[in-house]
Amino acid sequence: MKREEGGVRMSEIALEKLIQEDQCDEVLQELMIDYGQDVLQLVYSYVKSREIAEDLTQEIFVKCYKALPTYKGQAKMKTWLWRIAINHCKDYFKSWHYRKVMVSEKLSLFSSPKQKSVEEEVIQKSEDESLVSVVMNLPIKYREVIYLFYFEEMSLKQIEELIGIKQNTVKTRLRRAKELLKDELKEAEQWMKN
């Protein structure tokens, strides 16, 4: 079964049938075509590094391939893939590499002398004031709900199922994230006036 003309996504039923027929290579190819960029963006929203996001995305699709035979169809394929991606990102933050190597690299950036011109600082500040930058600076628990709700357009119920927290907690995190964004944007606006 090949991708339909016009690039239309293969149905969930067709993907499940391919899994049952042990055609996991084709299913993985479809998932990568349909969701590869979305997974990359989701991962980037966690790690804030294009290179690391690309590496983790590859690892996620390898995990997905290995887990395809265990897919039971209890959740939509996209939701199942998102769950794998989110768990993999959380595992990455717990990993030795992140805790030792990445933290050391970040600390070395802060200890190096800063020699930026005034123009570079203004340009950098201007770039930091964009909404995406502000969102990316939110703590992960707020950033993930903002990303899933606004960028992935998931419902509160879908987010609840995906990240495993109660719907009221999702609402609270969304409200708190919006407050933080509002404060950050006001602060940036004040800075621009001065």
Side-chain angles (χ1 to χ4, degrees):
M1 189 176 276
K2 293 291 179 197
R3 177 171 283 275
E4 298 166 18
E5 282 300 314
V8 176
R9 287 184 175 171
M10 196 177 284
S11 73
E12 293 277 328
I13 296 168
L15 289 172
E16 287 180 33
K17 188 172 191 295
L18 288 173
I19 292 169
Q20 290 169 355
E21 294 172 357
D22 201 27
Q23 296 182 20
C24 292
D25 291 349
E26 192 168 331
V27 173
L28 182 67
Q29 183 177 355
E30 288 295 323
L31 291 175
M32 290 173 68
I33 290 168
D34 290 346
Y35 304 118
Q37 187 62 36
D38 293 338
V39 170
L40 179 63
Q41 289 172 331
L42 174 68
V43 173
Y44 181 82
S45 78
Y46 277 85
V47 298
K48 302 184 199 178
S49 165
R50 177 107 181 140
E51 296 80 18
I52 294 171
E54 288 171 350
D55 290 345
L56 292 178
T57 299
Q58 287 180 359
E59 293 170 12
I60 288 163
F61 279 107
V62 169
K63 269 188 176 180
C64 174
Y65 179 76
K66 290 178 179 177
L68 274 172
T70 66
Y71 176 72
K72 302 290 185 231
Q74 295 172 333
K76 287 187 176 181
M77 187 69 73
K78 181 178 179 179
T79 304
W80 180 75
L81 180 59
W82 256 230
R83 183 77 253 153
I84 291 171
I86 289 170
N87 285 338
H88 194 71
C89 289
K90 289 179 178 180
D91 290 345
Y92 170 74
F93 286 131
K94 295 176 195 171
S95 72
W96 180 90
H97 179 266
Y98 176 77
R99 290 182 301 133
K100 303 295 183 197
V101 177
M102 296 306 295
V103 172
S104 297
E105 286 178 11
K106 287 178 182 178
L107 288 175
S108 69
L109 290 175
F110 289 116
S111 64
S112 63
K114 295 189 172 30
Q115 298 178 344
K116 286 186 175 180
S117 71
V118 174
E119 290 176 285
E120 288 173 320
E121 288 181 16
V122 169
I123 290 170
Q124 182 63 47
K125 185 67 177 174
S126 173
E127 291 172 352
D128 289 345
E129 291 170 358
S130 72
L131 180 59
V132 172
S133 179
V134 174
V135 169
M136 294 305 290
N137 287 325
L138 289 173
I140 190 70
K141 68 181 183 179
Y142 301 124
R143 190 169 64 232
E144 75 181 345
V145 293
I146 288 286
Y147 178 82
L148 295 171
F149 188 76
Y150 289 105
F151 294 95
E152 291 299 323
E153 299 177 349
M154 290 185 167
S155 70
L156 296 174
K157 183 72 175 161
Q158 289 172 316
I159 296 170
E160 172 188 31
E161 292 170 1
L162 189 62
I163 61 177
I165 60 174
K166 294 184 190 249
Q167 197 167 344
N168 284 336
T169 305
V170 174
K171 289 178 189 177
T172 301
R173 287 185 183 178
L174 274 172
R175 187 180 68 251
R176 181 69 182 126
K178 287 185 223 176
E179 290 169 0
L180 290 170
L181 287 172
K182 186 177 178 182
D183 292 345
E184 287 294 319
L185 292 171
K186 278 184 182 177
E187 188 177 306
E189 186 178 310
Q190 288 295 336
W191 183 87
M192 292 299 287
K193 288 180 181 179
N194 294 331

